Amino acid sequence: MAALEWYAHKALGDGVFWIQERFYESGNRANIWLVRGSHQDLVIDTGLGLRSLPEYLSAAGLLPHGTDGGSGRRPLMAVATHVHFDHAGGLHQFEQVAVHRDEAEALIRGDNFETVTWLSDSEVVKPPTPGWSASQYKVQAVTPSHILEDGSFGHLVFKDRKY
């Protein structure tokens, strides 16, 4: 299944998009957010990571070209609010990853106990690949590129979204 089929999004205005995994039906399903900035774009939480979220963002046209008019895109950073599987499962798909210092070690270890990985086959109503089973699912270990401390985002300018 292509990433374009796995995800869906809704534009909320002012460069903010709500993204969901269409075939993961659970009361635990996390919201995925894309927030466009003037210098960098942020993905807040990444879902399960069963299909490529960056591929979806690109194919759906959600990652515009940089402000310089060139062919390059603005940098993209994935930020995990916490490392539970439905929020952090797709972090491994991003070059820039930010997580709070209290969650970093669990993410670096790919610790399925601390990531609370309790995914079941019945929650994934359409398998992402042939033969896929929830028993195979594991949050992949990721070494964050940015460790967040309390108040880390204080330097960001939200009004004009510099990030």
Side-chain angles (χ1 to χ4, degrees):
M1 171 185 315
L4 204 51
E5 184 182 0
W6 182 259
Y7 297 97
H9 72 273
K10 180 179 180 179
L12 301 179
D14 201 25
V16 177
F17 298 85
W18 171 67
I19 302 166
Q20 69 173 356
E21 294 174 286
R22 295 178 53 223
F23 303 108
Y24 175 48
E25 295 182 0
S26 171
N28 297 315
R29 179 169 59 184
N31 292 312
I32 301 168
W33 303 96
L34 171 65
V35 182
R36 290 189 195 156
S38 57
H39 293 82
Q40 179 169 7
D41 297 328
L42 297 178
V43 172
I44 303 169
D45 291 333
T46 59
L48 301 174
L50 296 176
R51 304 306 303 153
S52 174
L53 182 54
E55 180 183 316
Y56 174 77
L57 297 174
S58 182
L62 298 180
L63 297 177
H65 293 292
T67 56
D68 61 359
S71 61
R73 299 195 185 277
R74 290 188 296 261
L76 180 63
M77 179 186 295
V79 179
T81 58
H82 59 289
V83 297
H84 287 174
F85 72 104
D86 56 325
H87 295 258
L91 288 175
H92 69 278
Q93 301 168 349
F94 293 85
E95 289 181 30
Q96 290 191 67
V97 172
V99 67
H100 192 274
R101 65 179 154 86
D102 291 343
E103 303 267 32
E105 286 302 317
L107 186 60
I108 291 167
R109 288 191 313 268
D111 186 322
N112 276 345
F113 176 75
E114 288 193 46
T115 59
V116 192
T117 303
W118 62 56
L119 187 61
S120 71
D121 286 329
S122 65
E123 294 172 305
V124 179
V125 297
K126 188 171 182 182
T129 56
W132 182 88
S133 169
S135 64
Q136 303 164 341
Y137 181 78
K138 180 174 177 16
V139 173
Q140 293 185 34
V142 175
T143 300
S145 56
H146 297 80
I147 301 294
L148 304 174
E149 301 289 336
D150 294 340
S152 289
F153 283 113
H155 69 282
L156 301 177
V157 179
F158 287 98
K159 185 176 179 185
D160 66 358
R161 294 210 178 112
K162 288 188 178 179
Y163 307 125

